[in-house]
């Protein structure tokens, strides 16, 4: 930030930072959390013993969750295309998204849902993309940056001939993904994750405004 410039509390950066700061102050909870309404942002943390994720798990021990493995958002369906204007009904899209992620983790043969925690924040849909962008840029979470596909849904029978997501290669178990073709081996995907985590510096838990 240029210190000679006047402070603008409504700049995109500062708006995003205020949202992110509020999110990071939320208590980390088990997946899935109790049912709740709204749309917004969330962080997933891993604190288990899967060796590939050692550098992610270590900062998340003893209740101190500082290194998310995934950043996500949940926007109301009407809000995605802007077809319904302002005040789109949110429903329970954020809770539903976290529940879907819980199902994916439970389906994986080498992950344990008890090893995950989440932080979430209900946010007006206008500001959700701002917060997500800042979170991903700062934390560079593994499942966002390298291991694609965690947030994918079943693409349908006609598209099962596509490429199997890297996430599903490393974490087999989702039935629809097993029908897809893997273009990398488990060993190659694991090496890709190791290399990324070795080169990625662990950022502080707080994001400077």
């Amino acid at each position: 930030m240029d210190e000679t410039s006047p402070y603008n509390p409504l700049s995109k950066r500062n708006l995003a930072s205020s949202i992110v700061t509020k999110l990071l102050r939320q208590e980390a909870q088990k997946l899935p959390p109790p049912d709740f309404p709204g749309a917004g942002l969330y962080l997933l943390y891993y604190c288990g013993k899967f060796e590939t994720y050692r550098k992610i798990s270590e900062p998340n021990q003893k209740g101190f969750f500082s290194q998310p493995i995934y950043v996500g958002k949940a926007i109301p369906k009407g809000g995605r295309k802007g077809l319904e204007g302002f005040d789109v009904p949110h429903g329970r899209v954020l809770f539903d998204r976290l529940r879907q992620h819980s199902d994916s983790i439970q389906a994986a043969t080498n992950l344990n849902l008890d090893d995950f925690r989440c932080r979430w924040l209900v946010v007006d849909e206008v500001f959700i993309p701002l917060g997500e962008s800042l979170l991903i840029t700062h934390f560079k979470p593994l499942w966002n940056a390298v291991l694609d596909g965690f947030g994918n849904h079943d693409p349908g029978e006609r598209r099962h001939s596509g490429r199997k997501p890297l996430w599903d290669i490393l974490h087999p178990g989702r039935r629809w993904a097993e029908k897809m073709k893997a273009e990398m081996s488990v060993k190659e995907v694991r090496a890709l994750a190791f290399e990324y985590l070795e080169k990625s510096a662990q950022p502080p838990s707080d994001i400077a405004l």
Side-chain angles (χ1 to χ4, degrees):
M1 178 178 176
D2 184 356
E3 295 182 358
T4 63
S5 301
Y7 176 71
N8 179 8
L10 298 181
S11 70
K12 289 187 289 186
R13 173 78 188 189
N14 289 328
L15 286 172
S17 293
S18 67
I19 296 167
V20 168
T21 298
K22 179 70 173 179
L23 171 60
L24 292 175
R25 288 174 179 167
Q26 304 305 304
E27 182 180 354
Q29 300 184 33
K30 290 187 175 182
L31 275 172
D35 193 358
F36 64 92
L41 297 161
Y42 59 92
L43 301 169
L44 300 186
Y45 298 88
Y46 179 72
C47 54
K49 297 181 179 180
F50 190 65
E51 180 57 27
T52 306
Y53 297 156
R54 179 178 52 81
K55 291 199 70 173
I56 295 174
S57 180
E58 286 178 350
N60 298 330
Q61 301 301 315
K62 299 180 180 179
F64 185 73
F65 298 96
S66 62
Q67 181 59 50
I69 196 170
Y70 187 73
V71 167
K73 68 177 184 293
I75 297 177
K77 290 183 178 180
R80 294 181 185 276
K81 297 182 179 180
L83 298 177
E84 298 185 20
F86 296 105
D87 299 322
V88 177
H90 287 183
R92 283 175 165 73
V93 293
L94 182 50
F95 168 76
D96 286 343
R97 192 68 170 145
L98 291 170
R99 180 173 49 80
Q100 290 162 6
H101 288 331
S102 300
D103 291 343
S104 291
I105 292 169
Q106 284 185 310
T109 60
N110 52 11
L111 292 176
N112 188 329
L113 189 61
D114 290 337
D115 292 330
F116 287 83
R117 297 293 184 273
C118 67
R119 282 190 172 106
W120 52 269
L121 181 68
V122 174
V123 181
D124 189 296
E125 69 269 15
V126 174
F127 302 107
I128 293 173
L130 280 175
E132 182 194 36
S133 178
L134 182 57
L135 285 164
I136 292 176
T137 299
H138 178 77
F139 287 113
K140 299 177 176 60
L142 178 68
W143 286 2
N144 293 91
V146 177
L147 299 188
D148 68 287
F150 171 63
N152 290 7
H153 300 284
D154 186 341
E157 290 295 332
R158 296 182 179 180
R159 299 181 64 184
H160 282 155
S161 60
R163 180 177 67 89
K164 179 182 289 189
L166 298 186
W167 190 88
D168 290 280
I169 295 174
L170 188 58
H171 301 298
R174 293 195 290 192
R175 292 184 179 179
W176 58 265
E178 295 305 305
K179 303 175 183 178
M180 306 174 82
K181 181 180 180 181
E183 297 183 354
M184 294 180 68
S185 68
V186 174
K187 183 178 180 180
E188 289 172 326
V189 175
R190 184 177 287 115
L192 192 68
F194 264 124
E195 181 181 8
Y196 179 78
L197 293 176
E198 286 297 320
K199 290 182 179 179
S200 300
Q202 304 299 306
S205 58
D206 293 328
I207 297 179
L209 299 179

